[in-house]
Amino acid sequence: MSGAPQRDVYDVVVIGAGPAGLAATATAARAGLAVLLLDENAGPGGQVWRAVTTTPLAAREALGADFWAGEELVRAVRASGAEVIQRATVWSLDGSLAIGVSVGGGSAFVGARRVILATGALERPVPIPGWTLPGVMTAGAAQTMLKSSGLVPDGPTIIAGQGPLLWLLAAQILRLGGRIDRILETTERRNILAALPQAPAFATSPYFRKGLALMREVRARVRVVQGVTELAALGEGRLESVAYAAGSRRETLPAELLLLHQGVVPHVNLAMAAGIEHRWDDGQLCWAPVLDPNGASSVAGIAVAGDGAGIGGAEAAVLRGRIAALAAVEALAPAALARLEPMGAVRAALARAERGRRFLDLLFRPARRFRIPSDETIVCRCEEVTARDIRDAVAMGATGPNQLKAYRRTGMGPCQGRLCGLTVTELMAEARGRTPQEIGYYRLRAPVKPIALGELAALPKSEASTAAVVRG
């Protein structure tokens, strides 16, 4: 196994090298604990700071100061003495804190006294007609290409949806000379009224001025259509145009690229597979782990930090990572707390960073029409299952996502439900007249990421496991 962990058991294993994971790693290692950081990307940074150490973009202003803030944390981790393994696929985690990880074509199990999950967020699916056409992709995927390779669109491009990332990506594309023909904004007008009571808190948050500046920058160069209520990608074999409706206006625009975005949600697959209790969050319309103030989960020894614990942004993620690490240090080496930042100071900083979050949740709450699609729309991309297929399965007696697998194989493809899970839960809840909490989510088991049989075969063999196979 290339780049294999150097120990069998670590004090702390951190999974994910985004803002929360980097902060947790640096803090725990500074306390003198044996720390292992596992991350599936080629370099540290997660999605927020993707390729922060390797991006070919030399013009620092193109990506903005918030992006380059990641450099300091990466330096801190590299100087901390923590062991870091990139391109590591974590495919298993259980209640005994045994972690299954694949690196370089081989697999192994690593033990931990504490685990901090910092798996970040996923983009919320936008299941519109035609969203599976080549030429339609998520805003996050476009931003990955921009940060990693400096690629920006140069043909007819439409951005559709809502949320802070939409405006940030648009600004970054424009700064780098890319092309955006139109922005189709799907925020419901009633959301503005619902969010108004939270506006004073948001006005004192760190996001207020940044958000206004981004929107002004983009609106000065791109036409923005607000109040979009219908959206479809059209084309034969690939994207050719985008049709939309906004009020009484209906228009079809030529397009080679459609970038979709309606916010992000916690990446819960590994946490759910580990048996951590989750609940449906009606505010953010997603599943979130049940945690205490330190990020500790319902499974002893496992904490969740960052956007995987609930969407809060990069600054909040860093602070949640520090809190989870401080709690681990308090449990494993309390004397070392004297040389670390006091927990109270970090909690106070987190409260400031999260100020105004409720405003964003209410303002950018996705409309039902962009979460629960029409009958003809594909929901499960891997198995090409439509919304009608799912509604028909409910009519035949399917009671939840796991039973639906037997009817339609939803959630059983390579993405293992990451692209369809939320849509399936909400669609079935509506069809059955139940709440998402009552309907539930896919039952997730190891391996939670696709791995080759050869990687499993490469696992070290114990005498007990060999005897079990022979007896079988």
Side-chain angles (χ1 to χ4, degrees):
M1 177 174 170
S2 176
Q6 299 302 302
R7 298 168 177 251
D8 293 328
V9 180
Y10 292 81
D11 293 322
V12 178
V13 173
V14 180
I15 301 173
L22 290 171
T25 299
T27 300
R30 203 162 77 240
L33 299 180
V35 182
L36 172 65
L37 172 60
L38 299 170
D39 186 68
E40 66 182 358
N41 296 309
Q47 178 59 23
V48 174
W49 297 328
R50 183 175 292 276
V52 68
T53 60
T54 59
T55 179
L57 300 175
R60 296 176 73 89
E61 64 276 6
L63 294 176
D66 288 345
F67 173 79
W68 297 106
E71 287 183 310
E72 183 179 349
L73 257 183
V74 171
R75 284 194 295 268
V77 168
R78 288 177 172 172
S80 70
E83 187 180 336
V84 180
I85 303 179
Q86 300 290 159
R87 301 185 189 274
T89 299
V90 176
W91 48 266
S92 175
L93 171 64
D94 62 25
S96 68
L97 308 192
I99 301 148
V101 57
S102 291
V103 183
S107 288
F109 280 104
V110 177
R113 299 172 69 193
R114 288 291 186 277
V115 172
I116 299 175
L117 291 180
T119 49
L122 294 171
E123 283 188 89
R124 183 188 297 276
V126 190
I128 62 169
W131 73 311
T132 60
L133 282 171
V136 182
M137 60 195 299
T138 67
Q143 194 182 52
T144 293
M145 292 192 295
L146 183 152
K147 292 175 179 177
S148 300
S149 306
L151 296 175
V152 293
D154 57 5
T157 300
I158 309 294
I159 300 181
Q162 62 175 6
L165 177 61
L166 182 150
W167 298 99
L168 175 60
L169 173 63
Q172 291 172 336
I173 289 173
L174 294 171
R175 291 168 190 166
L176 291 168
R179 174 174 173 178
I180 303 173
D181 292 65
R182 197 79 57 90
I183 292 177
L184 305 177
E185 231 269 350
T186 61
T187 301
E188 291 189 291
R189 298 188 190 281
R190 64 181 177 181
N191 287 7
I192 299 172
L193 294 175
L196 275 178
Q198 305 296 325
F202 180 67
T204 62
S205 79
Y207 304 107
F208 177 66
R209 292 180 184 273
K210 294 176 184 177
L212 280 182
L214 281 175
M215 293 175 74
R216 289 197 190 103
E217 179 182 351
V218 172
R219 286 177 180 277
R221 299 178 60 184
V222 179
R223 182 180 172 189
V224 178
V225 179
Q226 294 181 296
V228 171
T229 56
E230 295 179 32
L231 190 62
L234 309 173
E236 293 295 328
R238 67 157 292 110
L239 178 70
E240 296 171 357
S241 60
V242 175
Y244 75 91
S248 60
R249 175 191 298 166
R250 289 183 176 274
E251 190 175 4
T252 299
L253 305 170
E256 295 178 3
L257 181 63
L258 170 61
L259 304 179
L260 296 172
H261 181 75
Q262 58 176 353
V264 295
V265 295
H267 190 343
V268 298
N269 281 39
L270 186 59
M272 281 193 169
I276 291 171
E277 181 185 358
H278 285 70
R279 291 179 187 157
W280 181 260
D281 185 331
D282 284 319
Q284 295 190 342
L285 295 172
C286 60
W287 296 100
V290 177
L291 306 171
D292 76 3
N294 292 334
S297 74
S298 60
V299 177
I302 302 179
V304 186
D307 278 349
I311 304 304
E315 185 178 350
V318 167
L319 296 165
R320 288 176 181 175
R322 287 178 182 159
I323 288 171
L326 287 170
V329 173
E330 184 175 22
L332 302 177
L337 286 173
R339 57 178 182 267
L340 301 176
E341 189 174 6
M343 180 75 86
V346 183
R347 289 196 194 283
L350 178 61
R352 291 192 295 271
E354 292 181 331
R355 192 164 49 215
R357 184 70 228 179
R358 180 65 176 156
F359 175 85
L360 293 175
D361 290 344
L362 291 169
L363 180 63
F364 295 126
R365 183 182 178 87
R368 175 202 170 278
R369 63 179 67 90
F370 295 119
R371 304 190 330 265
I372 305 174
S374 58
D375 278 349
E376 295 74 24
T377 304
I378 289 177
V379 172
C380 175
R381 300 167 64 107
C382 298
E383 301 293 335
E384 297 188 341
V385 179
T386 66
R388 175 183 284 120
D389 293 331
I390 296 171
R391 291 186 173 106
D392 287 347
V394 171
M396 288 188 288
T399 58
N402 294 300
Q403 191 177 23
L404 185 64
K405 291 179 180 180
Y407 285 76
R408 300 297 183 189
R409 288 188 53 82
T410 51
M412 297 179 72
C415 92
Q416 298 180 297
R418 287 185 289 275
L419 293 177
C420 69
L422 286 180
T423 308
V424 165
T425 290
E426 289 206 88
L427 197 158
M428 294 190 78
E430 182 177 88
R432 296 194 61 222
R434 301 298 179 96
T435 66
Q437 183 69 43
E438 291 171 318
I439 291 297
Y441 195 67
Y442 294 127
R443 187 178 298 111
L444 295 162
R445 299 185 179 93
V448 296
K449 289 287 183 73
I451 58 172
L453 287 174
E455 292 178 273
L456 288 177
L459 282 170
K461 313 297 190 297
S462 67
E463 290 185 12
S465 64
T466 303
V469 173
V470 171
R471 285 195 302 269

